[in-house]
């Protein structure tokens, strides 16, 4: 009997940057280093870049709500336009095997631009379903990596961890849409003059090198 061996499809990575900073951003820098390693480990891999830090997604509007919940045939031109943006973000997410988010902690939580992206991609019928048994995430078979930069040490295990509302929120909302394999890597203590920040970046870099090869 003849057996056919099919090559696995090339991996697709969605890379999302949330810092409004450019070259000074610690989270972006670590994300770029990760990408170099990931590309070396996945030569046929494809990267989709979504820079919400520099091009923030629109906020949810009345037209967006109409676009998300009314039948497409009834959409006003404004609803069609608003939901087309959301559809583009959702398509990018659903196409990816892996999601990489690089982000600062802002005021104990996530930057507004990243929250705006989340509000665009959490969509009934597209990334989650409501059935008899409750909610079901539809963005399945993906893993996520979140690279976090913070001024203080907000790692969940540190004394400042009680102020970290970014990690529990992102775990909950990604899990809600079906992404439950989520890892966090921290470049903590980045406030100027703190030597712990230098060690944190070195350790984050080493952890990311291993994750890129996996
Ligand atoms: C508006 C604002 C709010 C911040 N809030 C926090 C915070 O709550 N906790 C913290 O540890 N650092 C906070 N920081 C520091 C940033 O997280 C830190 O500078 C980080 O390195 C920024 O990420 P980036 O280097 O990728 O731009 C804040 C910085 C700014 C500008």
């Amino acid at each position: 009997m003849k057996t056919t061996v099919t090559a696995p499809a090339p991996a697709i990575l969605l890379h999302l940057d949330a810092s409004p900073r450019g070259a000074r951003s610690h989270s972006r820098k670590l994300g770029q280093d990760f990408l170099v390693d990931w590309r070396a480990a996945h030569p046929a891999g494809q990267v989709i870049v979504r820079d919400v830090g520099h091009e923030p997604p629109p906020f949810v509007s009345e037209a967006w709500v109409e676009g998300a919940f009314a039948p497409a045939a009834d959409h006003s031109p404004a609803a069609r336009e608003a939901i087309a943006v959301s559809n583009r973000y959702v398509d990018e997410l659903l196409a990816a095997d892996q999601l990489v988010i690089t982000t600062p902690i802002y005021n104990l939580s996530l930057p507004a631009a990243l929250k705006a992206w989340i509000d665009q991609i959490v969509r009934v019928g597209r990334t989650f379903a409501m059935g008899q048994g409750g909610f079901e995430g539809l963005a399945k078979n993906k893993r996520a990596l979140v690279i976090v930069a913070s001024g203080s040490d907000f790692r969940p295990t540190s004394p400042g961890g009680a102020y970290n509302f970014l990690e529990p929120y992102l775990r909950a909302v990604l899990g809600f849409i079906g992404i439950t394999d989520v890892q966090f890597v921290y470049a903590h203590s980045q406030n100027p003059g703190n030597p712990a920040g230098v060690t944190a970046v070195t350790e984050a870099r080493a952890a990311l090198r291993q994750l890129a090869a996996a």
Side-chain angles (χ1 to χ4, degrees), residues 18-29 102-109 111 147-154 163 187-192:
S19 175
R21 301 205 291 176
R24 292 191 183 91
S25 162
H26 299 290
S27 58
R28 275 180 192 269
K29 173 80 176 73
T102 78
T103 183
I105 289 188
Y106 275 179
N107 302 317
L108 320 184
S109 184
I147 303 172
V148 183
S150 59
S152 305
D153 188 352
F154 271 28
Y163 293 103
H188 59 87
S189 307
Q190 295 307 310
N191 282 337

Side-chain angles (χ1 to χ4, degrees), residues 4 8 13 78 102 117 134 142 150 170:
T4 315
L13 184 145
T102 78
W117 178 80
K142 303 179 194 308
S150 59
L170 283 181

Side-chain angles (χ1 to χ4, degrees), residues 10-212:
I12 302 180
L13 184 145
L14 173 58
H15 186 98
L16 189 142
D17 289 312
S19 175
R21 301 205 291 176
R24 292 191 183 91
S25 162
H26 299 290
S27 58
R28 275 180 192 269
K29 173 80 176 73
L30 284 168
Q32 286 309 314
D33 292 345
F34 174 86
L35 264 191
V36 169
D37 293 340
W38 188 89
R39 284 195 164 108
H42 304 82
Q46 187 194 330
V47 177
I48 304 167
V49 175
R50 176 55 60 192
D51 190 341
V52 302
H54 289 156
E55 290 173 64
F59 290 152
V60 165
S61 60
E62 184 163 0
W64 187 98
V65 175
E66 182 193 331
F69 295 101
D74 300 340
H75 284 175
S76 63
R80 226 171 288 134
E81 196 180 313
I83 217 61
V85 174
S86 169
N87 283 338
R88 192 157 61 241
Y89 293 141
V90 170
D91 291 344
E92 289 172 353
L93 177 67
L94 294 180
D97 311 292
Q98 186 170 2
L99 167 66
V100 176
I101 296 174
T102 78
T103 183
I105 289 188
Y106 275 179
N107 302 317
L108 320 184
S109 184
L110 56 161
L114 179 53
K115 178 60 165 57
W117 178 80
I118 288 168
D119 288 344
Q120 293 286 349
I121 57 98
V122 178
R123 286 268 308 280
V124 67
R126 296 228 51 202
T127 55
F128 78 96
M130 281 187 291
Q132 299 283 11
F135 297 113
E136 185 195 353
L138 301 177
K140 293 192 171 127
N141 304 317
K142 303 179 194 308
R143 57 199 166 121
L145 166 65
V146 186
I147 303 172
V148 183
S150 59
S152 305
D153 188 352
F154 271 28
R155 286 175 296 173
T157 49
S158 77
Y163 293 103
N164 179 346
F165 293 88
L166 178 144
E167 179 168 337
Y169 173 70
L170 283 181
R171 280 194 187 281
V173 77
L174 291 174
F176 183 77
I177 60 167
I179 307 176
T180 51
D181 180 351
V182 186
Q183 288 204 266
F184 282 77
V185 171
Y186 282 84
H188 59 87
S189 307
Q190 295 307 310
N191 282 337
N194 187 346
V198 178
T199 313
V201 168
T202 306
E203 288 176 356
R205 185 79 190 82
L208 291 171
R209 210 171 287 127
Q210 287 198 344
L211 289 169

